[in-house]
Structures are given as C-alpha cells and as structure tokens.
Amino acid sequence: MSNEIPVKIYLSEKEMPKFWYNFRADMKEKHPPFIHPGTLEPCVAEDLYPVFCKELVSQELNQTDQKIPIPDGIFDFYKMFRPSPLIRAYSLEKMLDTPAEIYYKFEGNNTSGSHKLNSAAAQAYYAKQEGLTSLTTETGAGQWGTALSMACAYYGIDLTIYMVKVSSEQKPYRKIVMETYGANVIPSPSDKTIVGRKILADNPTTGGSLGCAISEAIEQAITTENCRYVLGSVLDHVLLHQSVVGLECKIAMDKYKIKPDIIIGCAGGGSNLGGIIAPFMGERLNGKNNIRFIAVEPASCPSLTRGKYCYDFGDTAKTTPLIKMYTLGNRFIPSANHAGGLRYHGMSPIISKLYHDKFIEARSYIQNDVFDAAKIFIKTEGILPAPESTHAVKAAIDEALECKATNTKKVILFGLTGTGYFDLLAYSQHNSGEMTDHVPTDDELNAGFSSIIPFDIKY
Amino acid sequence: MSNEIPVKIYLSEKEMPKFWYNFRADMKEKHPPFIHPGTLEPCVAEDLYPVFCKELVSQELNQTDQKIPIPDGIFDFYKMFRPSPLIRAYSLEKMLDTPAEIYYKFEGNNTSGSHKLNSAAAQAYYAKQEGLTSLTTETGAGQWGTALSMACAYYGIDLTIYMVKVSSEQKPYRKIVMETYGANVIPSPSDKTIVGRKILADNPTTGGSLGCAISEAIEQAITTENCRYVLGSVLDHVLLHQSVVGLECKIAMDKYKIKPDIIIGCAGGGSNLGGIIAPFMGERLNGKNNIRFIAVEPASCPSLTRGKYCYDFGDTAKTTPLIKMYTLGNRFIPSANHAGGLRYHGMSPIISKLYHDKFIEARSYIQNDVFDAAKIFIKTEGILPAPESTHAVKAAIDEALECKATNTKKVILFGLTGTGYFDLLAYSQHNSGEMTDHVPTDDELNAGFSSIIPFDIKY
C-alpha cells in the first residue's frame, strides 16, 4: 500500500470551497429554458415565486456567474458534516489486481446518509432568510426528506414531508428519523390536499407515487402563508449546491497532483452527477481536459440511454413547467427497484443537454449486477453503499477491469453518494438470491412516450 | 463561532497513533487477577488458550508494557475508518449558552456504526495470523456483531454470531448487515449447541439473553477445530484496542493546546470508557493532571453506582473465569432498555478498580432523560446518537449547564460512541411519549446479588 497518497484525504476547514461552481457559465450552448405550459413562453422569475424561494429562483435562472458565494450561515452548517473524505480505494484496487487508481468521494457520513444535505442546508437557509416559516417537500426513498428535516431543525423552520405511502410503510425507520428531527411526515396520497383526496377517491388502496407526493407538497406550499416548496434534485440550483462535492474533489486532487481520466456518478434526477463533475466539466467545456464523464442509471428506468430528448412535465400531475430533458414520459412508471432515488422519469436539464452534446456518456445496469459489485466493495472498502450508489461502484469496477484487460493505468473517480443502512431489504433479497429486476420492453417505453404532449415550442 | 479551533479535527495518517496505550502499566495497584473457578487460583495463559487467541491472551495478561505496537495489518484496516473526528460542539454550546467548551470524539462513521470496530479489527487480524479459520461471538444490540462481521470479511475468516433471539427479531436490519458481510447469524438460544438445546427444552419460547448467547458461542469455539471465541468489551485487551480513541483525542488536543477538565463516557462493559480515557488516565495516575473522569450508566442497570465490588462470573451460565468487578450479580436481568450495549451485569475489571480507588466518578440516568438530551444534541449537532451514547451526551450537557450556573469555563470531552440508525424504535417511543424505564428496587438488586457465590478468594 503506497504511503504517498493517504487512504482518506480530508481538506482542512480553510481549504473548503467558499463558493459553488456554476458550470452553466462555461457552457457555450445553455440548456433550453423552462416553458410555461399555458403561454408556451419561457418562464420568468415571477412565474416561479409562488412555489420557490426568491434566492433559489435567482440561482435557478443564473446561467452566467461562474462562482456563487456560499453564505456564512450555510458554510457554518457545512462545517458540521463537511468536508467529506476523498478515499483512495487501495483495497479494492488490490483485490481487482488492476493498474487503475480508484478514488471515491464519500458523501454518506452524515445522519441523512447522503449528499442531499448539501442542497437541503442551502434551501432551508434561504427560506429562513426570506422570512418563510414553513416548507413542504416530497420524499420517496427518504434521503432527501431526512436531509431537509435536519436542515429545517437546525435553522428553525417547520417542515411537512409528503412521503410516498408505500415507502413510509416499507421504511418506517426513515419516517422515525424525520419525525425525530421534528418534521411532519404525511403518507401520500393523503386527505390533507385536494389532489390527494381526488387520487384517494379514484383509487383508495393506492400506495402512492413520487408524482402524487410532489403535487400534494406543491398544493400545500401555494395555499399556505409564508410557505414554499423545495425539491432535492433535477433543478439547476440543486446541482449548483451539489458542486461543493466536485470542488472538494478538485481541491484535494490538485493538492496531490491527481488528474482523473474518468469521473462516474449515478444519475436519477442528476444532482449527484452534476455536483461531482462541476469544476471538471467547467475545465472540459473550456478545452482544458479530456475527462470521460459517465452517468450510470438502472436498466429499469433508462431515461438517458433509452429516453427521448424533448419537453415534458416534471411530474405526473403536470403541475410543473415544461422542461427540455431526456424523459421516458411523465406517465412512465418504472418497475419496483430498490434504488428509489434513480426511479425518476426525467433527468436534470443540464445533464440532458451535456449528454445530448456528447460531453457525457451514459450506461445502464440491472440491479443484480450492481449489487454483485457492491458486495465486492463492501468486503474490501468496508462501506455499505446505498442502492443508488452501487450503480457508480459497478461502473468504476468495470472501468478498472477494462484497465486490467488492456494493461492501461487510468485514474477513476466516482461518487459514493450515500449509505444503504435504511435500504437493507434490498441487500437481504440479494443475499438470498431473490432479487429481481425488470427492463422495460419497447412497448412499455412507447406507452410512456405516449404521455409526452408534443407542444409546439420553439426551443 | 471561533475560527481558531475547527469544528472537526482530523489527524493526518502520519499523526495517527502507531501503538495502543496500556495504562495498566501506570496503575500502582493492578486490578486483581482472573480466578479459575475450579482451583480458585489466578488464571494463567494456558487456562485461556482453548477459548481465546494466544496474542490476545498475552495482551490480556500484560500489565506492564505501556505501549503495545499496532501491527501494520491492523493499521491498514484502521486507515479505512480512522482517524475519527474530534468535534467541537459549537452549536450545542451556543444553544446551551454555556461558558464551557464541549468536545466529542465521534466513533460512529463506519458501517458498524460504533467504536467496536477498533477491537474487532485487532481480534480478527490476530486470529488470521494464528492460522485460525473461524471465530464465534455473541451480539445483543448488534454493534459488536456488525463490527466483527466487517473485520472477518476483510481478513477472510468465517464467523458465526449467536444473536439474542429477541434482538434478531426486533432488529432485522442488523441481522441483514452481518449476513451481507458474510457472517452466519444464529438466533440464540438455538439447537446448534448443547447449552442452547437445554435452554430451549426448559423454556421453548424464551427470547434469549446475552448470557445464553455467550455460552453457545463459547461452546462452539471450544468444540470446533481452528476456532476461537472473541468478546467485544469487558476484557483488558478490548480496552487496550479502544485506547486508539483516547490517543487520537490526546494528539488532536495537544496539537491545539486543549486541556480537558472532564472526560465522560457511557459505560456498559467499559471498553468505550477505558478507551477514551486511556492516555489521560495514564497521566493522571502519574500525577500529571487532575481530570475528572465520569462513567455514565443507565439507572436500569447500575453496576457501578449500586453494584458490589467482588468476584463474580462474567456470564449467566457461569462458564467464564471469576472476575473482580462491580457487579449486580450474574443472574441480574435489567428491564428492557434500548441501550442494549449498557445492559451488562458487570463491569470491566480495570474500570472497576479505578472506580473503587476513586479515580473515576459514576452516575446513572433514566432513559427518558438521556433521550431528552439526545434531542437537543440531534438538532444542534446534526448527529443521531446511539442509545448508549446518549448517556454521555446527557452528562456532558449537565456539566456544561453546571458551568453556566457557576460561571466557570471548563473543557469537557465526551465519547460519542456510535449512531442510532438501527435503534430507531427507541426514538419513536420517545417521540410519541411512550418511553418507559424501570429503576430496580432494592429487593430486585438483592435478588441479583444473591446469585454471587461468596468464593473464598485471597485477592
């Protein structure tokens, strides 16, 4: 084991980034704007104010400033759980007998168990600054809901979380953590909202869906005084907050003169990937590196690898603006898959644009294969990854084995977004050989695509 | 928030301790020896070889060497999850409005979720070095079993864990984690051992106990070739391995010229407390500081605060050597309390001796009070403590409030031994106001004491 580069690189507080990196400023072609479904014109800030905090709207629409300062109030919160370690996977490399150097940025060492806290902190802070007294959101797997509960407890803001009913039943511990931080967790669909009551009337036994939970959370936000809705992925400002992950990687790697050849991230809504690649993609877009960026998604929900690049709604209830993105159609429902955070029909408009312009590659894996990779990782590196993160683990191992096959030394960096402590049923199914997966057929994809309305939009 | 001392102090790999600190070498009076219950004479190494690895027996009986080198093979494993951060509780201090400075050493950032991995790594390593092929152990709350599963997976040793049946039913996730690391987890009592079958015949519906699980694990170890039994607390060599916690604290505090006035640890078997105090107690025993050391235990299992200092068995089945310790009697059964790691009838012989000689103070708290304290901690510091760790949190807060009342500035250090992610039912009960506790009556204590056999031992 080399002693030159330590197993874990922790930045000091003084080395931590004081700004977020907005690599949209480096994009020669920006991604097309949000479109108001009523007017079919680009959304302006005022269109978004009823739903989102003003500062977040401003960040959402800022495609020009490369560096956005992190306010002291957020930086103080970051210092409670950041910096996260950049880890050299010496044990994994040895086991794979690969000439590749493998690094991973581990975001799971906080109570929410994932990178989601980076944006939750920012969003709760700005809400408090704006004088709001409460927030609403939705959660599926629960990482985002837990992160936002922690941030709202810290800043002193009330929080209501609509949690997909089937998830709240399957993951009671997630619900307890959020309640322990003071959040009001409501299984969705509920009788608290008009949309919830309507869905329940139509289908009293439904287990709910993320689309429905989003609709309930938005309804409560716009009908409650001093309340706004917040979202944990997809949007540009969420990717912006997650850039702290990539910046810490960059600072640590520069310090040790490490130059990544490949950067890998799992991609559901896209915030993890957008975060870890941020400063590296900024360089790439300016012709300063030739890094391969790889998005990894589940074969059960292949928005990049099999989706269409077009305008679609962000939710099933069609309440969001229209977003130009890779989409499987707003009505596409992926098969049950434990990587709940990757079961989104669409994709961040930034990631979509970069993929469309071939700055990013994408691949998909079936669930059993990513858990096989996770088992190797668990036993060599000790950490038990979240189901979402296992996708990146699998891709990193595959790339390292390719290096072995071709006797090529490459430097691989991947994002280990979180821990799987609340997702152990998935591991249990894999342990017992009972894990299944479903790759959608072309007919199933076509059924999803048919829910995309072909608006006549000029972007 | 002061910028002089960072929120988190991480040592570099080069600063990490390369030896364990054996503060028994600093004790003018050593604790009395283990006694063989048959001969009533002190145990010698050969008495222990059938059960324990030779190197661990050697460490167990070594009361003279102050520094024991950490082998490279263990140090490499430590680097995967150590150093742990020493954290300045700025947010908690601010909320309490106390002049005290509060620091905590957080051992929960590894998949086992606690400090237990420090000794699991060492024990699995020595077993591998000795050429053993399998180990057995017991686990209650599951922290120890998980830690040992990780270490055995890393070093490549088979592991069988007897898990208290009621715990394996209440904490299915714990069982899955251990199985994911490849351990064979058997709910105890089982039909795999003579003692298990006997207990089941007597009481087919029993939920098991730690005492029974220990007996089953020992039976399998001594009847299986190349197999030994390992224990996660109480014993001197376990405290020795945990000294890495205190050493890291000391190095970090020396670096920033921080001198603790009070050091606090929860105490069940005593390994956490023995670990965090190690180098500081070494100084104290040599007259070089005047630190107050505080052991915190649950009122439901008050071995130090209400127990007797005498020779007793370490397990209910009376298979261990006799140990001079504070004990509630080997038949004492504490009421159900979520801090499973603190439900042991006895106490480390080192801690017992130091408490008896007044180098350590002790106090006990009821469960609702420690969870009230945990709630304050969770919302200010973000981390969700294990039920065991909440006891130390409560004591630290009490001491900080005492500083406020007396307008005294003191430096408080406490051990945050682990996270409560697998213990959320306890938080749920506290959230809903349904948490109860039972402080044993004098009659109940006397019933426990009556199980102590008054051997005629000359130590």
Side-chain angles (χ1 to χ4, degrees), chain B residues 16-166:
Chain B
M16 282 170 65
K18 294 278 174 28
F19 58 86
W20 293 299
Y21 193 89
N22 182 22
F23 66 91
R24 286 172 295 172
D26 301 300
M27 292 170 76
K28 307 282 179 291
E29 280 185 48
K30 316 298 182 192
H31 69 75
F34 288 151
I35 295 293
H36 191 294
T39 63
L40 296 190
E41 289 298 321
C43 287
V44 292
E46 286 68 22
D47 294 331
L48 303 172
Y49 286 159
V51 180
F52 296 109
C53 298
K54 285 185 179 167
E55 183 61 33
L56 296 173
V57 170
S58 157
Q59 292 179 356
E60 184 68 23
L61 300 177
N62 184 340
Q63 300 199 323
T64 50
D65 294 329
Q66 198 180 49
K67 296 183 178 182
I68 313 275
I70 300 173
D72 286 347
I74 297 171
F75 193 74
D76 281 347
F77 189 84
Y78 275 2
K79 284 192 288 187
M80 282 171 50
F81 68 101
R82 306 205 65 81
S84 70
L86 177 70
I87 305 179
R88 173 77 183 268
Y90 284 112
S91 296
L92 178 62
E93 289 170 19
K94 190 175 165 192
M95 204 285 290
L96 297 175
D97 189 23
T98 173
E101 289 183 9
I102 307 174
Y103 295 86
Y104 56 98
K105 182 72 167 167
F106 178 42
E107 290 289 310
N109 271 349
N110 66 70
T111 296
S112 80
S114 83
H115 66 296
K116 295 285 185 185
L117 197 51
N118 299 320
S119 187
Q123 298 197 46
Y125 171 82
Y126 288 123
K128 185 75 180 177
Q129 289 297 107
E130 196 175 314
L132 302 179
T133 50
S134 66
L135 292 172
T136 70
T137 198
E138 78 292 330
T139 202
Q143 287 183 344
W144 169 246
T146 313
L148 195 62
S149 307
M150 291 174 67
C152 285
Y154 181 81
Y155 290 111
I157 304 173
D158 289 344
L159 174 64
T160 300
I161 300 170
Y162 288 89
M163 184 173 190
V164 178
K165 188 183 281 176
V166 63

Side-chain angles (χ1 to χ4, degrees), chain B residues 296-299 363-367 369-370 391 394-395 398 437:
Chain B
V296 192
E297 56 186 15
R363 69 179 63 168
S364 71
Y365 292 117
I366 63 166
Q367 194 170 211
D369 289 351
V370 298
H391 290 73
K394 165 71 175 159
D398 280 3
D437 203 354

Side-chain angles (χ1 to χ4, degrees), chain B residues 193-268:
Chain B
T193 63
I194 296 168
V195 62
R197 288 192 292 272
K198 182 173 182 313
I199 292 165
L200 282 175
D202 292 349
N203 188 353
T205 60
T206 177
S209 72
L210 218 43
C212 166
I214 293 176
S215 304
E216 289 203 81
I218 292 179
E219 180 183 322
Q220 179 174 328
I222 59 181
T223 56
T224 305
E225 202 176 354
N226 275 329
C227 180
R228 292 292 183 282
Y229 166 74
V230 294
L231 187 69
S233 190
V234 181
L235 298 175
D236 289 15
H237 67 267
V238 184
L239 271 71
L240 176 70
H241 304 149
Q242 295 299 348
S243 69
V244 70
V245 177
L247 285 162
E248 284 186 6
C249 288
K250 181 92 172 61
I251 295 166
M253 293 182 119
D254 283 352
K255 190 171 164 181
Y256 285 91
K257 299 187 174 47
I258 305 160
K259 293 202 172 296
D261 298 299
I262 302 171
I263 300 180
I264 297 166
C266 60

Side-chain angles (χ1 to χ4, degrees), chain A residues 28 92 99 113 118 207 211 223 231 243 248 251 295 307 311 360 428 451 455:
Chain A
K28 308 282 178 293
L92 178 63
N118 298 320
T223 56
L231 186 69
S243 69
E248 283 186 7
I251 295 165
Y311 271 100
I360 291 177
S428 176
S451 63
F455 288 104

Side-chain angles (χ1 to χ4, degrees), chain A residues 1-3 5-8 10-11 13-14 76 78-83 85 87 91 106 108-113 150 153-154 170-174 176-177 179-182 375 378-384 419 421-425 427-428 431, chain B residues 1-3 5-8 10-11 13-14 76 78-83 85 87 91 106 108-113 150 153-154 170-174 176-177 179-182 375 378-384 419 421-425 427-428 431:
Chain A
M1 194 177 279
S2 158
N3 275 322
I5 294 170
V7 176
K8 292 191 250 73
Y10 280 106
L11 302 180
E13 263 175 25
K14 285 176 187 165
D76 281 348
Y78 275 2
K79 284 192 287 188
M80 281 171 50
F81 68 100
R82 306 205 66 81
I87 304 179
S91 296
F106 179 42
N109 271 350
N110 65 71
T111 296
S112 80
M150 291 174 67
Y154 181 81
Q170 284 173 351
K171 304 193 177 192
Y173 278 24
R174 273 286 180 202
I176 297 169
V177 183
E179 287 171 345
T180 300
Y181 278 95
K375 286 288 178 67
I378 285 166
K379 291 182 184 177
T380 49
E381 295 293 314
I383 299 169
L384 189 129
T419 54
Y421 306 150
F422 296 105
D423 311 287
L424 283 163
L425 290 180
Y427 279 97
S428 176
N431 291 344
Chain B
M1 193 176 284
S2 159
N3 276 322
I5 294 171
V7 175
K8 291 191 251 76
Y10 279 106
L11 302 180
E13 263 174 27
K14 285 176 185 163
D76 281 347
Y78 275 2
K79 284 192 288 187
M80 282 171 50
F81 68 101
R82 306 205 65 81
I87 305 179
S91 296
F106 178 42
N109 271 349
N110 66 70
T111 296
S112 80
M150 291 174 67
Y154 181 81
Q170 284 173 350
K171 304 193 178 192
Y173 278 24
R174 274 285 181 203
I176 297 170
V177 183
E179 287 171 343
T180 300
Y181 278 95
K375 287 288 179 68
I378 285 166
K379 291 182 184 176
T380 50
E381 295 293 315
I383 300 169
L384 188 129
T419 54
Y421 305 150
F422 296 105
D423 312 286
L424 283 162
L425 290 180
Y427 279 96
S428 176
N431 291 344

Side-chain angles (χ1 to χ4, degrees), chain B residues 201-403:
Chain B
D202 292 349
N203 188 353
T205 60
T206 177
S209 72
L210 218 43
C212 166
I214 293 176
S215 304
E216 289 203 81
I218 292 179
E219 180 183 322
Q220 179 174 328
I222 59 181
T223 56
T224 305
E225 202 176 354
N226 275 329
C227 180
R228 292 292 183 282
Y229 166 74
V230 294
L231 187 69
S233 190
V234 181
L235 298 175
D236 289 15
H237 67 267
V238 184
L239 271 71
L240 176 70
H241 304 149
Q242 295 299 348
S243 69
V244 70
V245 177
L247 285 162
E248 284 186 6
C249 288
K250 181 92 172 61
I251 295 166
M253 293 182 119
D254 283 352
K255 190 171 164 181
Y256 285 91
K257 299 187 174 47
I258 305 160
K259 293 202 172 296
D261 298 299
I262 302 171
I263 300 180
I264 297 166
C266 60
S271 75
N272 155 62
L273 183 66
I276 195 167
I277 68 174
F280 303 99
M281 181 58 82
E283 284 187 347
R284 171 71 191 282
L285 292 166
N286 289 296
K288 291 182 182 164
N289 70 41
N290 202 23
I291 296 171
R292 284 174 59 206
F293 300 96
I294 305 177
V296 192
E297 56 186 15
S300 59
C301 193
S303 53
L304 286 173
T305 50
R306 295 175 72 194
K308 293 195 177 188
Y309 188 49
C310 59
Y311 269 101
D312 192 13
F313 288 99
D315 67 335
T316 356
K318 302 188 174 67
T319 56
T320 70
L322 291 162
I323 307 165
K324 180 112 176 217
M325 60 182 175
Y326 278 85
T327 176
L328 298 164
N330 58 71
R331 294 267 160 173
F332 177 80
I333 297 179
S335 75
N337 184 312
H338 289 284
L342 305 182
R343 295 182 71 229
Y344 184 63
H345 71 275
M347 178 57 66
S348 142
I350 300 180
I351 299 296
S352 292
K353 174 69 177 160
L354 291 170
Y355 176 62
H356 190 69
D357 292 348
K358 304 204 185 319
F359 288 104
I360 291 177
E361 305 168 29
R363 69 179 63 168
S364 71
Y365 292 117
I366 63 166
Q367 194 170 211
N368 256 309
D369 289 351
V370 298
F371 275 85
D372 284 345
K375 287 288 179 68
I376 294 171
F377 187 79
I378 285 166
K379 291 182 184 176
T380 50
E381 295 293 315
I383 300 169
L384 188 129
E388 293 82 4
S389 320
T390 59
H391 290 73
V393 171
K394 165 71 175 159
I397 289 178
D398 280 3
E399 290 297 324
L401 292 175
E402 176 68 18
C403 287

